[in-house]
Amino acid sequence: MTSEIVRIGVFTSGGDAPGMNAAVRAVVRTALHEGKQVFGIRRGYQGMIEGEIDEMFHRSVSNIVQRGGTILKTARSQEFLKREGREKAHRSLTAHGIQGLVAIGGDGTSRGATALFEEFGIPIVGVPSTIDNDLYGTDFTIGFDTAVNTALEAIDRIRDTAESHDRIFLIEVMGRQAGFIGLAAGVAGGAEEILIPETKSDLDTLCKKVEQWSREKKGSRIIIVSEGDELGNAAEIGKKIAARTGADFRVCVLGHTQRGGCPTAKDRILASVFGNAAVQALLEGEKNVMVGEVNNEIVRTPLRETWEKKKPIAERLMRLYRVLSR
Ligand code: ATP
């Protein structure tokens, strides 16, 4: 691999996702393997602005492949949204001699990386990492599989109590704009109903189902609600159903439990592959792409496309859940 880049910066940004550490480890060790220097930028774009940048070595990333969260910390930076903030960030990168960046995060991180490249020309390669799985250009993002498994464990537990009491449970999962977690956890958990932002949720139809379940004396009934569903959050939807049908219900909001915990094998492997691929892309002269996996192939997608285009949910899974959820 020939490249003029000698000093690479790496950072994690936006919501933390299990597997970010495995990605940082892969970036650091691949860069060192290629004879490059690598610098960790703490607290995402905010730390970049404030110059929180330190050199990293093999031992800096020891014993982290199995840990959730991110050793580099993460932040949501208001300052970086403005051009002056990005100018400051660029100045501190220049002061540390950083010639290329690996940005690990979700769609907001990708928007920020696009702006930084387009305004200052610094080469950036993105690594898709968000539990929401809502980035175009990759079938899966780092953290999604772990979050789905965490949600699934909770669903299975709630199923036991729902079955014992013949009760309706509304389980709210993360996903303000995207229902990937809701759909995957719902199918895997055998949910009776899945309400996600990508599909039209209709209260009349939902209430008719609830009444039918009562007539059929169905025991446990699990309704998965993505937090961004247009009918409201789980508590609001539960109240609407109860007002129309008189059904007794309970609500469980899984919230931030879905973000933490040890990454699954799938997420650790994906993170290791993506971290390695990102450094390779940078050293091969890519300046403005995100690495991803589409149909089992590693691909590179222009950064702008990753957030301008919308990744569709798997219609196939949606149809499957409708067949299986009776
Ligand atoms: P997640 O999907 O897990 O929340 P994310 O990367 O989408 O992760 P955000 O908080 O949306 O998380 O974005 C991370 C940071 O990226 C923001 O705090 C902000 O500093 C920067 N950012 C987001 N959008 C833009 C933008 N349009 N221009 C410049 N910077 C941006």
Side-chain angles (χ1 to χ4, degrees):
M1 233 179 269
T2 56
S3 171
E4 287 161 14
I5 293 181
V6 177
R7 293 176 154 225
I8 295 171
V10 58
F11 63 98
T12 51
S13 159
D16 60 305
M20 277 183 160
N21 280 327
V24 171
R25 172 178 177 266
V27 169
V28 170
R29 293 202 170 160
T30 304
L32 295 174
H33 178 79
E34 297 295 339
K36 309 298 176 185
Q37 279 180 283
V38 60
F39 293 79
I41 301 161
R42 286 164 63 84
R43 296 196 301 118
Y45 291 122
Q46 194 56 37
M48 196 182 286
I49 289 169
E50 292 171 23
E52 292 181 42
I53 302 174
D54 290 301
E55 189 164 3
M56 296 182 86
F57 308 94
H58 274 95
R59 293 284 82 80
S60 317
V61 290
S62 295
N63 197 22
I64 64 166
V65 73
Q66 79 284 16
R67 283 167 57 190
T70 160
I71 59 158
L72 289 179
K73 308 271 181 184
T74 183
R76 303 199 195 260
S77 170
Q78 290 300 317
E79 214 179 332
F80 193 81
L81 293 173
K82 301 196 196 94
R83 189 180 156 99
E84 304 87 77
R86 295 193 290 274
E87 223 168 282
K88 270 196 215 166
H90 183 247
R91 267 203 301 276
S92 66
L93 293 173
T94 310
H96 285 83
I98 291 172
Q99 299 149 309
L101 285 172
V102 176
I104 303 171
D107 69 316
T109 301
S110 199
R111 284 170 202 262
T114 309
L116 200 57
F117 169 76
E118 291 179 356
E119 289 166 0
F120 301 100
I122 181 154
I124 308 185
V125 175
V127 168
S129 185
T130 163
I131 62 165
D132 293 335
N133 198 28
D134 58 347
L135 275 164
Y136 181 86
T138 189
D139 291 340
F140 299 104
T141 57
I142 298 165
F144 171 66
D145 186 62
T146 308
V148 170
N149 278 290
T150 304
L152 187 58
E153 195 186 326
I155 293 167
D156 289 346
R157 285 168 194 268
I158 289 168
R159 176 73 77 180
D160 289 346
T161 179
E163 186 70 32
S164 304
H165 288 273
D166 289 338
R167 220 167 233 159
I168 299 178
F169 261 90
L170 289 102
I171 304 178
E172 187 175 301
V173 298
M174 278 192 166
R176 275 193 304 275
Q177 265 109 44
F180 292 96
I181 295 179
L183 181 56
V187 170
E192 274 66 27
E193 184 66 41
I194 300 173
L195 305 176
I196 56 175
E198 289 88 345
T199 57
K200 194 174 158 10
S201 305
D202 176 56
L203 192 60
D204 286 338
T205 317
L206 186 57
C207 289
K208 278 187 192 135
K209 274 194 193 168
V210 168
E211 283 163 349
Q212 190 186 342
W213 294 336
S214 300
R215 282 196 299 276
E216 291 172 354
K217 302 213 179 318
K218 199 164 175 13
S220 61
R221 289 142 292 166
I222 302 269
I223 302 176
I224 301 292
V225 182
S226 279
E227 51 186 357
D229 189 75
E230 75 263 33
L231 284 183
N233 63 31
E236 288 162 354
I237 296 174
K239 281 184 196 145
K240 286 178 192 168
I241 296 173
R244 292 232 197 148
T245 65
D248 186 23
F249 72 94
R250 293 289 183 276
V251 169
C252 181
V253 179
L254 301 186
H256 282 79
T257 58
Q258 293 156 97
R259 277 201 193 280
C262 290
T264 58
K266 186 171 173 179
D267 273 333
R268 295 183 205 189
I269 294 167
L270 197 67
S272 303
V273 169
F274 282 174
N276 174 268
V279 173
Q280 281 173 354
L282 207 52
L283 298 185
E284 284 168 18
E286 294 285 6
K287 292 184 161 46
N288 176 29
V289 295
M290 183 191 82
V291 295
E293 190 182 88
V294 176
N295 297 329
N296 294 319
E297 297 278 338
I298 297 299
V299 298
R300 298 170 184 175
T301 304
L303 277 176
R304 186 170 268 286
E305 276 183 37
T306 66
W307 51 269
E308 269 187 354
K309 292 192 176 171
K310 187 159 171 61
K311 179 159 87 182
I313 55 147
E315 281 299 328
R316 191 172 42 82
L317 267 194
M318 204 65 207
R319 283 195 299 273
L320 180 64
Y321 127 73
R322 288 196 176 111
V323 172
L324 302 182
S325 66
R326 274 301 313 274

